Amino acid sequence: MIPITIESIITEEQSEDFYALYLAAFEPMKSRAAARHVLHRDEFFNDMQNPRVAKYVARHNDGRAIGLSTLTHDLDSVPWISPEYFQARYPEHAARDAIYYLGFTLIHPEHRSAPLALAMLRAVMNTVAEARAVFAYDICAFNDTVLRFGANVESQFRRNSDVTVEAIDRQTYYGATFHGTQAPESVTAESVIGAS
């Protein structure tokens, strides 16, 4: 079993290694999700140096870091979410500082085995379950529908805890490709307005 430690700060050298691994893991998301899912280098390094962001680190027996998850209950440190949304939705949890957000999880390609992924998920889940907290996370449509991340994570939660999982928000991006200035004969302003 690979040990997982919770660290508040990651060294500059390890941050460099993790960032290279992070880019390799998340780069494909640039063309699979409309929202930006890849942290810029300075954002990534800020997380690594931010003691308010817990780093769950899996290390090989030779000391090399091979897995990383980030978790925080300081919602202001997550630039892509609205802390006010979570505070309004979960006021009792907000009052006791018990809303956590998962930033990301990555595992070195040579170690992407189910046991390590589950061990990392359980380490994060144990923190949240012990605090009887809300655990928030986001999954893009590709990872949710094609790779089934959401269903797999929920299955693990239910296997190990008394938990309620719900989709709390959704954002749909639309693209309209125009093929000219003339609408088809069957589409009129009246038919569009009348249909709405």
Side-chain angles (χ1 to χ4, degrees):
M1 185 63 137
I2 294 175
I4 297 169
T5 59
I6 303 172
E7 303 177 20
S8 59
I9 295 183
I10 301 294
T11 67
E12 184 91 15
E13 182 181 349
Q14 268 195 343
S15 295
E16 290 287 357
D17 293 341
F18 271 133
Y19 191 60
L21 180 58
Y22 173 81
L23 288 178
F26 282 83
E27 199 75 24
M29 296 312 302
K30 287 184 173 181
S31 61
R32 291 182 179 152
R36 181 171 66 94
H37 278 67
V38 181
L39 295 174
H40 297 303
R41 188 177 192 282
D42 61 324
E43 294 170 321
F44 184 90
F45 276 75
N46 285 342
D47 271 359
M48 296 302 100
Q49 296 300 305
N50 185 346
R52 299 172 302 165
V53 177
K55 276 67 82 175
Y56 290 71
V57 181
R59 296 185 194 287
H60 193 271
N61 54 16
D62 65 5
R64 281 182 301 123
I66 56 173
L68 174 67
S69 290
T70 61
L71 181 71
T72 187
H73 58 98
D74 177 3
L75 301 182
D76 288 322
S77 68
V78 184
W80 64 88
I81 66 167
S82 168
E84 295 82 4
Y85 173 85
F86 292 95
Q87 292 158 357
R89 186 174 183 92
Y90 304 104
E92 292 174 30
H93 292 86
R96 56 187 180 84
D97 198 23
I99 303 172
Y100 288 76
Y101 205 89
L102 179 73
F104 60 84
T105 294
L106 59 89
I107 298 173
H108 192 284
E110 294 173 10
H111 299 277
R112 281 196 187 134
S113 65
L116 179 55
L118 289 176
M120 293 191 68
L121 179 61
R122 283 192 190 115
V124 169
M125 186 175 58
N126 288 342
T127 298
V128 180
E130 287 172 13
R132 299 177 62 83
V134 169
F135 178 48
Y137 51 97
D138 61 88
I139 303 173
C140 74
F142 177 84
N143 285 343
D144 209 18
T145 57
V146 176
L147 301 180
R148 299 189 40 79
F149 281 2
N152 293 330
V153 167
E154 182 176 346
S155 172
Q156 287 305 311
F157 288 170
R158 292 188 187 286
R159 191 170 291 145
N160 295 287
S161 299
D162 179 12
V163 63
T164 301
V165 179
E166 61 181 332
I168 57 173
D169 196 12
R170 173 169 289 138
Q171 185 166 340
T172 303
Y173 292 84
Y174 292 93
T177 303
F178 286 81
H179 305 285
T181 58
Q182 192 66 28
E185 295 272 335
S186 61
V187 179
T188 64
E190 292 78 21
S191 68
V192 171
I193 294 170
S196 59

